[in-house]
Amino acid sequence: MGAYIIRRLLLMIPTIFGILLISFAVVQFAPGGPVERKIAELEGMNVDPTSRIGGTGGGDFANNTSDASGETSVTSKYRGAQGLDPEIIAKLEKMYGFDKPVHERFYLMLKNYLVFDFGESFFSGRRVTDLIVEKLPVSISLGLWMLLISYSISIPLGIRKAVKDGSTFDVWTSGVIIVGYAIPGFLFAVILIVLFAGGSYWDLFPLRNLVSDNFDQLSWWEKIIDYFWHLTLPIIAMAVGAFATTSLLTKNSFLDEIKKQYVMTARAKGLGEREVLYGHVFRNAMLIVIAGFPGAFIGAFFAGSLLIETIFNLDGLGLLSFNSIIGRDYPVVFANLYIFSLLGLVVSLISDLTYTWIDPRIDFETREV
């Protein structure tokens, strides 16, 4: 097992390198970068991030062109730069680090990322690490509680549905699950706000922030209540769709295992139904559920919480990443990409190792990575 873990850890290096390299290359052609946005700000114009920068089509990283006199033409490089002093453009490029060659910028980024130095945000002026740490409580709260609640309910429900396959319980719970899966999380969030957050009916739950403004003045038990009071509606909105996938996956996995020969043999030996279910079927049936955990984990901490954070005015990593992409705040974009890619690879490794904990018969040592 030790050799397998080392191989997986070593493979993370080229994987992360490839992700960053491809993303960095794509950014070279992204229009409306930070230099052009700053130029538009200086010119007193509105910035359109989707507009294509004229000239070479290379975004903020296009090569300068020369006119007939041999002088560098700034206007061919940045749209809206007409009339600006070339020295101002040069200072802007130096401020955002675009005065260096592309390969040098990429090398410096990799070098700094090895020690988790993500630099400063282009537009907020704060260190990217501080921004991420500031947003972490919201994303951790949403992701952690959603996963715990979803899995703690979905797995027992899926097992019960498999045992009661075809019964009235199985039919009506399947109907509820399908309806929950069909309703998008953001739409369900809006319904919850209308019903319980002062929309049109009851004003029972808050609609912004993770805690109340007077949180520091509350006693420890009041802080716990206040914390979960703010999380109730966002967690419900996020978890309603997650129940469907995990519950049905658990049910189908258990049904497949229950029909196998070794289960019939265990029953023929006189073992009780509970002993057969949890002593023999459980560890085999849960393997497919565990396989989907890394994706669910990353989705809960990032993509799955973006709309929920926006609707409930929660300032987390999902909203930070989205705003940084729209605003072309590249240090924040690449820092989030690096962290979530690394986190996804580590969680995937932990998921594989969990296989051996559930079923010791699985041996990764003899498997090619």
Side-chain angles (χ1 to χ4, degrees):
M1 181 57 66
Y4 173 77
I5 294 175
I6 293 175
R7 289 201 304 270
R8 286 291 297 271
L9 291 175
L10 292 176
L11 278 174
M12 290 181 186
I13 298 175
T15 303
I16 291 291
F17 177 83
I19 292 173
L20 291 177
L21 178 61
I22 294 174
S23 302
F24 190 84
V26 170
V27 163
Q28 311 310 303
F29 301 95
V35 174
E36 184 170 329
R37 291 175 65 88
K38 194 64 177 179
I39 291 173
E41 182 180 324
L42 293 174
E43 293 284 354
M45 300 185 302
N46 293 325
V47 180
D48 180 8
T50 62
S51 63
R52 176 64 63 179
I53 298 174
T56 63
D60 288 317
F61 309 97
N63 294 323
N64 288 334
T65 58
S66 298
D67 56 21
S69 63
E71 296 180 353
T72 300
S73 174
V74 178
T75 56
S76 65
K77 185 178 181 182
Y78 301 113
R79 189 187 221 171
Q82 294 86 348
L84 283 181
D85 189 336
E87 292 185 3
I88 296 179
I89 305 299
K91 289 180 180 179
L92 289 177
E93 290 180 329
K94 185 175 182 180
M95 180 173 66
Y96 293 121
F98 295 149
D99 58 324
K100 301 180 180 65
V102 173
H103 66 277
E104 184 177 346
R105 293 201 304 271
F106 184 67
Y107 168 75
L108 290 175
M109 184 180 73
L110 293 179
K111 180 181 177 181
N112 293 331
Y113 279 21
L114 288 176
V115 293
F116 291 89
D117 179 9
F118 303 118
E120 293 185 355
S121 167
F122 281 162
F123 303 109
S124 69
R126 300 178 56 190
R127 293 193 61 80
V128 175
T129 305
D130 295 336
L131 285 173
I132 293 175
V133 171
E134 181 182 294
K135 314 299 182 184
L136 270 178
V138 171
S139 296
I140 290 177
S141 296
L142 291 176
L144 180 62
W145 290 113
M146 194 280 285
L147 282 178
L148 289 177
I149 294 174
S150 174
Y151 272 73
S152 62
I153 295 178
S154 298
I155 292 176
L157 178 61
I159 295 174
R160 184 67 175 173
K161 285 174 63 62
V163 173
K164 298 290 185 179
D165 183 42
S167 66
T168 303
F169 172 82
D170 180 41
V171 172
W172 74 262
T173 52
S174 294
V176 172
I177 288 174
I178 292 173
V179 171
Y181 183 74
I183 301 177
F186 71 90
L187 178 59
F188 195 72
V190 174
I191 295 174
L192 292 175
I193 290 174
V194 172
L195 292 177
F196 302 110
S200 300
Y201 295 91
W202 303 280
D203 189 6
L204 303 178
F205 296 94
L207 194 53
R208 64 182 182 86
N209 298 335
L210 193 61
V211 294
S212 299
D213 294 335
N214 63 336
F215 184 77
D216 293 334
Q217 302 172 6
L218 301 177
S219 60
W220 66 268
W221 60 271
E222 288 176 329
K223 288 182 179 180
I224 295 176
I225 294 175
D226 182 77
Y227 172 73
F228 285 106
W229 182 45
H230 283 75
L231 279 177
T232 299
L233 295 187
I235 294 298
I236 293 176
M238 289 182 65
V240 65
F243 286 118
T245 303
T246 310
S247 298
L248 295 179
L249 184 64
T250 304
K251 174 193 172 182
N252 294 332
S253 181
F254 269 79
L255 284 177
D256 289 341
E257 292 297 323
I258 288 174
K259 297 176 183 178
K260 291 184 177 179
Q261 184 64 41
Y262 75 90
V263 176
M264 299 179 184
T265 303
R267 287 171 176 166
K269 292 181 178 179
L271 297 179
E273 193 65 24
R274 187 177 185 85
E275 188 175 357
V276 170
L277 190 64
Y278 291 100
H280 294 74
V281 176
F282 183 83
R283 67 180 183 180
N284 295 325
M286 286 303 296
L287 290 177
I288 192 171
V289 177
I290 294 173
F293 180 78
F297 181 86
I298 299 300
F301 275 79
F302 179 57
S305 63
L306 171 58
L307 292 175
I308 301 300
E309 290 177 11
T310 303
I311 293 172
F312 289 99
N313 296 313
L314 298 172
D315 196 5
L317 288 178
L319 191 58
L320 173 67
S321 300
F322 176 76
N323 289 335
S324 63
I325 293 172
I326 296 299
R328 302 297 193 269
D329 198 345
Y330 294 139
V332 180
V333 172
F334 282 110
N336 278 285
L337 177 66
Y338 178 76
I339 291 173
F340 280 103
S341 299
L342 185 61
L343 185 61
L345 292 172
V346 171
V347 171
S348 179
L349 175 58
I350 295 175
S351 176
D352 284 350
L353 297 179
T354 308
Y355 284 153
T356 62
W357 174 65
I358 293 179
D359 190 350
R361 295 173 298 175
I362 296 178
D363 183 14
F364 287 110
E365 291 286 355
T366 57
R367 171 188 165 195
E368 292 293 332
V369 179

